[in-house]
Amino acid sequence: SKNYWMFPRFYLPEDAVLEDRTGNYQRWLKAGLLTITEGNEIDFKTIGNDVEEDMSTFNVIEAAYDSWRATQLAQDLTEKGATMVEYRTIVQKMSEPLKEFYAAVNGRRFHHDGNEVFMWNASNTVNKEDKKSNWFPDKERNQNKIDGIVAGTMTIGRLLYREEEGSIDEWLANPITG
């Protein structure tokens, strides 16, 4: 059984922080748990700059992205050498990774840095199940955010896919010849 480690970062537009009535966003901003971008929309250039920095610091194999609103970011990062993989957040793509996510949490194989925003995302997440026993992360109230759980599920999904496909190192060590 695999262990997973997650060190999430969260971004919000400045207007969302100013409009927050709970005080959570202000507290998390002061604690360094949120990156704020100017205006009322997320500045994807800020996220792109952080991903670029990660690429120069870590051995980033690939980055999964949801094409909804992030296609330009993916194109920009691809031009800068990143391997970007579109990951559609549909039931067929989310079910098995979400089940593995739950199993890893329950089996104490999932680890994170204690990020309060991530914990809040987790507390907002409800598991929806369809008639075919497929799972999908959802939220009970629209103002709640579950982005950290969705991103974690997408990441586990890519890891599971890569495991199924095998790595080039495994193939080179044991090639199939005809």
Side-chain angles (χ1 to χ4, degrees), residues 18-33:
L18 296 173
E19 294 167 7
D20 176 38
R21 297 191 198 300
T22 68
N24 287 335
Y25 293 165
Q26 288 290 335
R27 189 177 82 247
W28 294 331
L29 178 61
K30 287 177 186 166
L33 300 174

Side-chain angles (χ1 to χ4, degrees), residues 65-152:
Y65 72 96
D66 184 351
S67 60
W68 187 76
R69 295 188 62 210
T71 301
Q72 185 62 52
L73 172 65
Q75 290 171 352
D76 293 346
L77 288 167
T78 298
E79 287 176 12
K80 294 175 180 176
T83 301
M84 301 299 295
V85 179
E86 181 180 355
Y87 197 101
R88 295 180 55 216
T89 54
I90 58 175
V91 172
Q92 295 87 342
K93 292 270 192 179
M94 298 296 278
S95 184
E96 288 307 310
L98 186 58
K99 289 176 182 179
E100 172 60 8
F101 200 154
Y102 272 71
V105 168
N106 290 329
R108 299 183 187 274
R109 298 182 290 113
F110 180 81
H111 316 278
H112 63 90
D113 60 359
N115 185 303
E116 282 184 53
V117 182
F118 180 75
M119 299 291 285
W120 178 66
N121 278 208
S123 72
N124 292 333
T125 305
V126 293
N127 178 34
K128 297 290 184 176
E129 188 170 350
D130 69 12
K131 294 175 186 173
K132 296 179 181 177
S133 298
N134 291 309
W135 292 10
F136 191 80
D138 204 356
K139 51 190 172 180
E140 288 189 277
R141 291 191 306 248
N142 211 28
Q143 68 270 26
N144 290 345
K145 301 220 179 278
I146 63 170
D147 303 298
I149 300 302
V150 171

